Amino acid sequence: MKVSIITPTFNSAKTIQSNLNSIKSQSFKDYQLIIIDNNSTDKTVEIVKKNNIPNVKFLIESDLGIFDAINKGIRISDNELISVLHSDDLYNDENVLKDVVKTFHEHKDNDIIYGNLKYVKKDNIDFTLRYWKPGSHNKDLFYKGWHPPHPSFFAKKKLFESYGYYEVNNGNSADVELMFRFLNTHNLKSKYLNKTLVKMRYGGASNKDILSIIKQNIQIMI
């Protein structure tokens, strides 16, 4: 079982190196990295190329937003498992991919595995602002404002092919809608891994404040 890591970028030179460091440090090496770059004008692509990561695919072209870029990456991916790791996020430790793949092997009937997320300061990834520990899914929780942290959400590629990709028209709530569609609408089997998988720099488009999160959940369920 191999992993395709999808990383959309746009002028990400300030953060992409820490992202790449977390990927290169993984003890599990059966992964490919797919960079979907929206015509960056800074040194993003140059930095990625200097890292000489094996099994990299580049797609450099205009897109319709971050979720359009992610969809492109999933479509050209070669591996069974999909991880979306944004350019300003990073894996929490060197065993993230190993632990996720191990959990898929131990729970072969699961199509989705998700874990915990750690919010960190933009300028200090070692300073934790808060933890997000979602716990196990049940169908009522989405209607109470619950959903898994999207960066810690690993899904089999076949799910996107069978049940659809990210709905670009949903804007910043496209990740919540997709997880709702997979977990609730189609009742796909998931496993909660009680481990911090990703560090996320606080302040992104989808996590600026609690009101935006509430609006996202309302939008995808009406």
Side-chain angles (χ1 to χ4, degrees):
M1 186 173 284
K2 299 180 180 181
V3 182
S4 289
I5 303 165
I6 315 299
T7 298
T9 58
F10 176 67
N11 290 343
S12 305
K14 291 182 179 179
T15 61
I16 191 65
Q17 188 59 60
S18 60
N19 170 288
L20 297 175
N21 288 344
S22 79
I23 294 172
K24 293 194 297 181
S25 71
Q26 292 301 298
S27 57
F28 180 87
K29 300 299 183 183
D30 282 338
Y31 64 79
Q32 70 174 160
L33 174 61
I34 301 177
I35 301 289
I36 310 296
D37 186 79
N38 185 17
N39 293 316
S40 288
T41 56
D42 65 1
K43 295 185 177 180
T44 299
V45 175
E46 178 183 337
I47 292 170
V48 175
K49 289 181 176 179
K50 283 183 177 179
N51 278 265
N52 294 318
I53 299 176
N55 301 320
V56 173
K57 283 188 177 183
F58 272 103
L59 183 61
I60 303 174
E61 64 182 27
S62 298
D63 58 52
L64 300 176
I66 196 167
F67 291 105
D68 181 42
I70 293 170
N71 285 340
K72 292 178 181 180
I74 296 170
R75 288 188 173 99
I76 65 172
S77 64
D78 299 313
N79 295 334
E80 184 178 356
L81 298 181
I82 299 296
S83 170
V84 177
L85 190 69
H86 296 288
S87 61
D88 51 356
D89 298 341
L90 55 154
Y91 291 127
N92 185 60
D93 61 61
E94 68 273 11
N95 291 319
V96 167
L97 294 184
K98 183 184 78 171
D99 291 343
V100 168
V101 171
K102 179 182 177 184
T103 305
F104 269 109
H105 281 301
E106 292 173 346
H107 302 272
K108 296 184 183 299
D109 56 341
N110 282 271
D111 293 314
I112 295 162
I113 289 171
Y114 62 89
N116 304 329
L117 182 138
K118 185 187 296 183
Y119 283 101
V120 297
K121 293 183 71 172
K122 277 186 176 183
D123 55 354
N124 184 358
I125 59 176
D126 295 317
F127 190 100
T128 301
L129 294 169
R130 70 182 179 97
Y131 289 94
W132 184 351
K133 296 184 177 182
S136 298
H137 165 256
N138 73 59
K139 295 202 73 169
D140 294 329
L141 288 176
F142 267 94
Y143 297 100
K144 298 177 181 179
W146 176 95
H147 61 80
H150 181 248
S152 75
F153 189 83
F154 290 73
K156 293 180 179 177
K157 180 178 179 177
K158 68 179 184 180
L159 303 186
F160 299 92
E161 296 168 338
S162 298
Y163 303 105
Y165 292 76
Y166 294 92
E167 293 287 349
V168 175
N169 291 338
N170 282 327
N172 287 335
S173 64
D175 51 358
V176 179
E177 188 278 329
L178 180 129
M179 293 186 292
F180 177 81
R181 189 184 342 134
F182 283 6
L183 292 172
N184 265 43
T185 304
H186 297 291
N187 201 28
L188 301 175
K189 196 161 185 181
S190 65
K191 175 70 177 176
Y192 167 55
L193 176 59
N194 188 12
K195 169 186 169 72
T196 300
L197 302 181
V198 172
K199 291 181 180 180
M200 182 177 189
R201 284 181 172 87
Y202 191 78
S206 63
N207 63 74
K208 287 181 179 178
D209 54 56
I210 189 64
L211 182 59
S212 69
I213 295 173
I214 293 171
K215 286 181 178 178
Q216 287 173 358
N217 284 359
I218 293 173
Q219 179 179 344
I220 60 96
M221 287 183 287
I222 59 177

